[in-house]
Amino acid sequence: SVTENQANLFTFANNTKSTLFNTKSVIKYYTSKRVDTKKIVLSILLYSRFFQNTNSFKNIYDIKVLLLAESITYYNENTASSYSYNNNIKKLVNYNTVEVAKQKAD
């Protein structure tokens, strides 16, 4: 099974199953249908999703309390996405790091 990225800007070429949807393709689709770009609002999610054993999401965490003890944060510049994972308790938290927020703002 594959846990997908949340709110990623781009497809991850090395694992397309982890990025079935992405912001770039959605914007491209709307503009191809002649939607005025001035009417498209793109926002940045500043919350996270929590996955227990990566089977499904269980809770939504406030960003101030989201990093679990002994978790490792992963940042993928190619997709503009990030998450933290604790291998001991098999918990994954998908969220935007400061780097991702800056990349999305650009």
Side-chain angles (χ1 to χ4, degrees):
S1 97
V2 174
T3 301
E4 293 182 48
N5 285 301
Q6 174 182 303
N8 47 293
L9 288 179
F10 311 108
T11 298
F12 186 37
N14 294 342
N15 186 359
T16 56
K17 289 183 180 181
S18 73
T19 54
L20 296 177
F21 303 99
N22 65 77
T23 304
K24 182 180 180 183
S25 65
V26 171
I27 298 296
K28 186 176 180 179
Y29 173 80
Y30 281 122
T31 56
S32 76
K33 300 298 182 189
R34 300 181 188 244
V35 172
D36 185 349
T37 56
K38 293 176 184 173
K39 295 187 177 199
I40 298 173
V41 177
L42 182 62
S43 63
I44 298 174
L45 302 172
L46 295 178
Y47 65 91
S48 67
R49 297 259 185 223
F50 174 96
F51 297 85
Q52 177 75 35
N53 295 320
T54 66
N55 291 327
S56 65
F57 58 89
K58 301 288 185 189
N59 296 306
I60 297 177
Y61 282 88
D62 185 294
I63 198 163
K64 294 182 290 278
V65 295
L66 104 107
L67 294 178
L68 302 169
E70 300 179 23
S71 293
I72 297 173
T73 297
Y74 297 89
Y75 165 59
N76 187 328
E77 185 176 6
N78 296 318
T79 61
S81 62
S82 57
Y83 64 93
S84 67
Y85 185 70
N86 183 314
N87 192 46
N88 296 326
I89 56 176
K90 308 290 188 225
K91 290 186 181 178
L92 181 143
V93 179
N94 197 334
Y95 71 105
N96 286 318
T97 61
V98 171
E99 293 86 5
V100 168
K102 286 179 180 178
Q103 188 176 2
K104 290 180 176 182
D106 289 339

